[in-house]
Amino acid sequence: KVPMSASTIQPFPEREREALLGIDNVGPAMVGFVEMLGIHGMSDLARADAAILRMRINAHLGEPRLNTMGEDALKAMIATARTYLNDQG
């Protein structure tokens, strides 16, 4: 596993980031964890699976940082991404 520097992580577009940060229990760190995995848009996030994201984040961090509450936050992020995309088009 190769650590990624902040400069190699592509962030969500600002409007999408704001939508994610409006979710209860989702802060900049949680959005950053998702970005760290290479997910940097609602279309990527909408296709994701919360359990797999949780596993990948914990593996990347080298410790079980996210518990079931973290997985619930990821599920809310995925649901928001799907709603966001439906509203766009």
Side-chain angles (χ1 to χ4, degrees):
K1 123 183 129 173
V2 177
M4 297 177 76
S5 71
S7 64
T8 62
I9 297 173
Q10 184 176 358
F12 277 82
E14 190 60 33
R15 190 165 168 216
E16 294 181 9
R17 173 180 286 279
E18 288 174 12
L20 294 173
L21 292 174
I23 303 168
D24 288 342
N25 299 319
V26 174
M30 183 65 83
V31 176
F33 291 154
V34 171
E35 290 169 337
M36 166 183 78
L37 298 179
I39 295 172
H40 38 74
M42 293 297 207
S43 59
D44 295 333
L45 186 57
R47 293 189 305 269
D49 177 272
I52 292 172
L53 288 181
R54 175 184 168 199
M55 179 187 67
R56 289 183 59 207
I57 290 167
N58 285 339
H60 188 84
L61 296 174
E63 62 182 354
R65 180 79 82 54
L66 295 184
N67 57 19
T68 55
M69 286 179 60
E71 187 172 327
D72 288 344
L74 291 167
K75 287 177 184 176
M77 291 173 72
I78 292 166
T80 297
R82 291 174 180 164
T83 301
Y84 183 93
L85 293 172
N86 285 338
D87 291 348
Q88 297 300 307

